[in-house]
Amino acid sequence: MAKPFSFEVLAIDGKARRGVIDMPRGEIRTPAFMPVGTGGTVKTMYMDQVRGVGADIILGNTYHLMLRPGAERVARLGGLHEFARWPHPILTDSGGFQVMSLSKLRKLTEKGVTFRSHIDGAPYEMSPERSIEIQGLLDSDIQMQLDECTALPAELKEIERAMELSLRWAERCKTAFGDQPGKAMFGIVQGGDNAALRVRSAQALSEMGLKGYAVGGLAVGEPQAVMLEMLDITCPELPADKPRYLMGVGTPDDILKSVARGIDMFDCVMPTRAGRHGLAYTRRGKVNLRNARHADDPRPLDEESDCPAARDYSRAYLHHLVRSQEALAAMLLTWNNLSYYQKLMQDIRAAIETQTFEARGAEITEGWARGDI
Ligand code: GUN
């Protein structure tokens, strides 16, 4: 029998954890950053490059893949790993969050959500059971419960209703997922910016005995301080021996501060999206390559990086590519950005192992503050 899904905490420094998730398709070193591969591609990147920068796992989206090319089609073609040529672990989001932000004419009931595709207006239904079925057809390794995420600011009653609904949907997803030793289904803590609701959600999910827990409903319009306060409240309520995943976060600074509060996994479109908009993440902060000051600059983004995109191309050339709207601009900058994010996670993991996380975090932050070279 294939080895079961497992999580081990290897080192602790303050509240920060260095761990490893082990599953049949491979190991995930935590804290981990998952590049976003919404529709079966990490935009502009070959999968070999995604692996090459150090990613152990990528994220896919139920919502996008069910609309196009369709989950049943992906299943017929051998599942998402084979289809996209990524043999390592894949986590899929459940669809609830994307339905709410992208689809048209959506209607949410106890049963689930009905909506129209943002691509062609075709009608769809998604229940907790159908979301898990789709994630199974994709052959996703880590599946997420269907939830309802409330945009902030919101009325307390509204946050509470969505949180309680998400708890009931977590139970239904757990039943639909059943017993699959090599895979995992994670619950999602909701509760907006309300401490009591967050505690209620985290405790009720913990009692379900799931293999991992996500914190959702954050980075949805609230200040960073509110997000961090919610993590301070939520993390201690989650089982210490299970991975914790902060959904849709964030900036390098968000990641450092969330690891410090006990988060193990992250995903965010930031490095990939920024790369398609001419922005580079570096040790010295963000660099906007569209800016005219780079037009004659022969220096690379970072001569010390082992990523060719950061090390081997001049800022002048990158500026030229961005201004000319060349496909290579997005390709090189996305490569640089994902490399930067993975290097950050590697740094974080090494610092936790040597009990130097706080000092290393301060050094990294100081590098950004010094500004571009
Ligand atoms: N991505 C970012 N935030 C969320 C959330 O609250 N729920 C889900 N399902 N996905 C997310």
Side-chain angles (χ1 to χ4, degrees):
M1 199 184 74
K3 63 179 149 191
F5 175 97
S6 70
F7 175 61
E8 190 183 352
V9 177
L10 304 171
I12 296 185
D13 185 1
K15 288 186 186 156
R17 297 131 59 93
R18 158 82 178 97
V20 61
I21 293 172
D22 198 6
M23 52 199 318
R25 284 197 174 95
E27 283 191 354
I28 303 158
R29 297 161 291 177
T30 66
F33 180 81
M34 303 182 279
V36 174
T38 292
T41 160
V42 176
K43 292 186 200 300
T44 80
M45 295 277 286
Y46 290 109
M47 288 302 185
D48 285 350
Q49 291 177 296
V50 177
R51 188 64 174 172
V53 297
D56 293 333
I57 176 170
I58 61 172
L59 175 142
N61 279 116
T62 295
Y63 172 79
H64 295 81
L65 291 165
M66 76 187 278
L67 300 186
R68 188 170 60 191
E72 278 76 9
R73 174 172 290 138
V74 174
R76 284 195 301 275
L77 292 164
L80 189 54
H81 303 77
E82 172 63 24
F83 190 51
R85 306 300 298 161
W86 173 266
H88 316 291
I90 295 178
L91 178 148
T92 45
D93 199 358
S94 54
F97 185 79
Q98 286 74 29
V99 166
M100 289 305 162
S101 56
L102 295 173
S103 74
K104 295 180 285 194
L105 293 174
R106 47 187 182 269
K107 218 178 107 211
L108 188 132
T109 66
E110 186 69 32
K111 230 176 93 189
V113 51
T114 60
F115 60 93
R116 286 183 180 271
S117 158
H118 71 281
I119 301 167
D120 60 4
Y124 287 87
E125 277 184 25
M126 178 129 71
S127 60
E129 292 77 16
R130 176 64 180 155
S131 174
I132 295 299
E133 183 184 16
I134 292 172
Q135 296 182 71
L137 286 165
L138 298 172
D139 204 14
S140 164
D141 303 284
I142 302 181
Q143 307 180 14
M144 302 303 299
Q145 74 153 101
L146 190 67
D147 61 332
E148 186 190 356
C149 167
T150 315
L152 297 174
E155 295 283 333
L156 186 63
K157 277 275 161 261
E158 179 56 16
I159 298 172
E160 182 171 21
R161 183 200 56 72
M163 182 275 284
E164 293 289 347
L165 177 69
S166 297
L167 287 180
R168 294 191 296 277
W169 283 2
E171 282 286 5
R172 285 169 57 186
C173 286
K174 183 186 172 189
T175 304
F177 182 79
D179 182 27
Q180 302 183 56
K183 296 186 172 190
M185 198 285 294
F186 284 16
I188 305 177
V189 176
Q190 293 290 347
D193 53 3
N194 183 275
L197 295 183
R198 287 276 167 190
V199 169
R200 150 98 184 122
S201 176
Q203 288 180 349
L205 284 172
S206 300
E207 279 168 25
M208 292 180 203
L210 304 171
K211 292 182 190 169
Y213 298 87
V215 184
L218 292 175
V220 288
E222 79 287 1
Q224 189 200 46
V226 172
M227 178 180 90
L228 297 177
E229 188 195 330
M230 291 302 113
L231 293 182
D232 282 331
I233 290 160
T234 305
C235 287
E237 303 297 336
L238 295 171
D241 60 349
K242 297 285 155 48
R244 303 172 187 148
Y245 160 32
L246 178 54
M247 306 189 80
V249 173
T251 64
D253 184 58
D254 289 334
I255 290 176
L256 276 180
K257 289 175 171 152
S258 302
V259 167
R261 287 161 172 83
I263 295 292
D264 307 300
M265 302 164 72
F266 300 88
D267 82 274
C268 190
V269 296
M270 226 169 255
T272 37
R273 183 171 292 165
R276 300 194 300 280
H277 288 92
L279 286 174
Y281 283 86
T282 76
R283 286 182 292 136
R284 297 297 193 81
K286 263 192 298 189
V287 177
N288 185 352
L289 269 314
R290 179 167 286 283
N291 198 304
R293 74 188 167 90
H294 304 296
D296 288 297
D297 194 338
R299 299 170 309 156
L301 280 169
D302 186 348
E303 72 287 348
E304 286 176 25
S305 171
D306 54 18
C307 174
R311 186 192 59 208
D312 298 345
Y313 298 83
S314 69
R315 291 169 184 230
Y317 182 59
L318 295 171
H319 168 79
H320 160 68
L321 293 178
V322 169
R323 285 290 184 103
S324 317
Q325 297 181 20
E326 288 288 348
L328 189 59
M331 293 164 67
L332 288 174
L333 294 179
T334 302
W335 193 9
N336 169 80
N337 291 350
L338 282 182
S339 165
Y340 177 79
Y341 263 66
Q342 292 301 335
K343 176 71 171 47
L344 174 69
M345 304 317 292
Q346 219 174 70
D347 248 24
I348 289 173
R349 291 191 296 262
I352 298 171
E353 280 171 13
T354 52
Q355 309 288 304
T356 54
F357 175 65
E358 198 177 329
R360 183 69 192 120
E363 257 174 40
I364 294 171
T365 308
E366 206 254 324
W368 303 326
R370 258 190 287 161
D372 190 22
I373 18 184

